[in-house]
Amino acid sequence: MARILYGVMGDARGHVSRALTIAQEMPEHEFLFLGGGRAHDLSAYGYRVEGLPMASTLYRNNRVDVAATALNALGVFLNRKKHVKRVSELIASFDPDLIISDYEYFTPLAALREGRLCVSLDHQHVLTHTRYEPPSEQRRSRFMTCGTIRALYSNCSRFVIISFFQPLPENPATTWVLPPLIRREVRNQKPTEGDHVLVYQTSPTFQRLFPVLERVGSRFLIYGFGEQPSRSNLVFKAFSTAGFLSDLASCRYAITNGGHNVISEALYLGKPVVSFPIVHAYEQFLNAFFLDRLGYGAYSTAPVPSEDFLVAFETRLETFKAAIAQQSFLGNNLVRDQLNEFLS
């Protein structure tokens, strides 16, 4: 049995879901998780979690609130020395055989301080550590996002990137690009096709979407805005993992932002995706761009969504499904095997 120290960004479900999936894929090992926010959810599965502050991304009106995000990050980074020292002490006492960071800031810095190998396992580094032709749009957002990743989150020694699109690594000696990690609950679903469309929004600020959905006429099951009275063809649902995954597995297609985790889970279940990436979140935009380029779905960056855009999307569902069916979106075994290589 090996000991694995795992730093995880806890400001979104995707990072935590990935960490839990890895722990469940490697049950023979002992895990110690470090992180804030939703990282504490891992304790419900019997894992030890040590809290750390995190630089959360904050949203307003389906946009990244740049000023609020920067202010929040400043408060975290001003106390960097104290938190790095604490993680260093945890490394010394836990004595891990492997250190992993899923976009967590302090863990790689402490690993460097202790002279330990630290492996990055996330999707974000697809932006900075792979070869692809950048889209011409959103150059400012790309510059800011990639600069932040390089400056703050690239202190690891090795990079395992999971992605539903597969660009080549810039340095194959230190970087691996593998298919997505799919959590156990998703793999247990049996895809069917019901009469509804699933809508999931990371941030409950995209209110302009609702009037458009009402005019399209399909039945929409909406997650991310809390439970509230139904209106017309819109059904708002309180979040539950079982309910969400059942509705995802049985939907005609999914509408979401540009988060890699939900897109990957939808594709694994054979569902085309409409993406409305959050403004200034360049990683989301790139996911949406490749979703469209590879024929798995479509995206829009319009401030007010277009009814015509969604109606046209629905006419292409069979084409999207055929493209999705030709690919594999399950990388669990490959990721586990790669991590075991670092343990050998």
Side-chain angles (χ1 to χ4, degrees):
M1 178 183 75
R3 292 179 300 278
I4 299 176
L5 185 141
Y6 200 135
V8 56
M9 166 64 81
D11 72 338
R13 284 190 176 91
H15 299 280
V16 178
S17 171
R18 204 155 40 228
L20 176 61
T21 300
I22 286 296
Q24 291 175 336
E25 290 285 344
M26 305 174 76
E28 68 275 21
H29 302 314
E30 179 184 357
F31 282 82
L32 168 58
F33 291 102
L34 312 178
R38 295 185 184 276
H40 292 280
D41 294 350
L42 293 163
S43 62
Y45 295 87
Y47 298 107
R48 178 184 166 193
V49 181
E50 293 285 341
L52 284 175
M54 62 180 183
S56 302
T57 302
L58 305 176
Y59 305 101
R60 182 170 59 185
N61 298 326
N62 207 47
R63 292 171 171 263
V64 174
D65 189 329
V66 177
T69 297
L71 187 62
N72 170 262
L74 182 63
V76 172
F77 299 144
L78 282 176
N79 293 306
R80 179 179 68 176
K81 288 185 179 179
K82 179 179 75 173
H83 301 306
V84 170
K85 182 175 182 291
R86 178 163 171 259
V87 177
S88 294
E89 291 169 350
L90 286 168
I91 291 174
S93 61
F94 186 61
D95 191 22
D97 300 288
L98 176 63
I99 300 174
I100 301 173
S101 172
D102 188 330
Y103 212 58
E104 201 285 310
Y105 175 69
F106 298 107
T107 303
L109 293 175
L112 279 174
R113 173 175 164 166
E114 297 301 310
R116 300 287 195 108
L117 173 77
C118 186
V119 177
S120 169
L121 173 59
D122 61 28
H123 174 67
Q124 279 77 5
H125 282 92
V126 75
L127 275 67
T128 57
H129 285 60
T130 67
R131 298 176 182 176
Y132 61 92
E133 183 178 349
S136 59
E137 306 109 297
Q138 301 203 9
R139 291 181 180 177
R140 180 183 176 189
S141 176
R142 175 166 63 90
F143 176 79
M144 292 174 61
T145 303
C146 291
T148 298
I149 292 172
R150 289 191 177 99
L152 300 179
Y153 296 103
S154 295
N155 292 301
C156 291
S157 314
R158 302 290 185 270
F159 296 86
V160 177
I161 299 167
I162 53 98
S163 178
F164 71 85
F165 56 97
Q166 298 281 292
L168 295 173
E170 282 192 341
N171 184 353
T174 61
T175 305
W176 296 261
V177 182
L178 302 174
L181 283 164
I182 302 298
R183 53 183 161 153
R184 180 181 297 170
E185 295 92 337
V186 177
R187 302 197 308 273
N188 288 339
Q189 298 295 318
K190 297 187 183 304
T192 59
E193 184 164 332
D195 64 351
H196 66 273
V197 177
L198 180 132
V199 180
Y200 174 74
Q201 298 290 291
T202 305
S203 173
T205 59
F206 199 19
Q207 305 287 338
R208 294 172 178 172
L209 182 61
F210 299 153
V212 178
L213 298 182
E214 287 183 287
R215 293 194 297 272
V216 170
S218 297
R219 181 169 173 259
F220 295 95
L221 305 186
I222 301 174
Y223 287 87
F225 295 85
E227 190 173 13
Q228 53 183 286
S230 300
R231 48 195 251 201
S232 181
N233 55 331
L234 311 186
V235 179
F236 295 87
K237 306 190 76 170
F239 188 84
S240 78
T241 298
F244 173 80
L245 293 181
S246 175
D247 290 335
L248 178 61
S250 58
C251 70
R252 294 169 57 218
Y253 64 92
I255 297 176
T256 187
N257 299 123
H260 181 265
N261 209 55
V262 173
I263 290 176
S264 297
E265 291 180 349
L267 295 178
Y268 172 79
L269 293 169
K271 307 300 180 179
V273 179
V274 173
S275 175
F276 294 107
I278 292 175
V279 179
H280 301 316
Y282 184 74
E283 181 210 350
Q284 290 205 4
F285 171 75
L286 193 68
N287 292 336
F289 175 82
F290 276 103
L291 185 76
D292 183 282
R293 170 173 279 191
L294 296 171
Y296 306 152
Y299 75 95
S300 172
T301 56
V304 180
S306 163
E307 177 185 350
D308 291 341
F309 167 72
L310 286 176
V311 171
F313 178 88
E314 292 195 349
T315 66
R316 300 172 60 198
L317 286 178
E318 295 308 314
T319 301
F320 295 136
K321 290 178 185 177
I324 293 168
Q326 294 175 16
Q327 302 298 326
S328 171
F329 301 98
L330 180 63
N332 293 35
N333 291 345
L334 294 171
V335 175
R336 182 193 62 219
D337 292 347
Q338 184 59 58
L339 294 179
N340 279 324
E341 284 290 320
F342 298 124
L343 285 169
S344 60

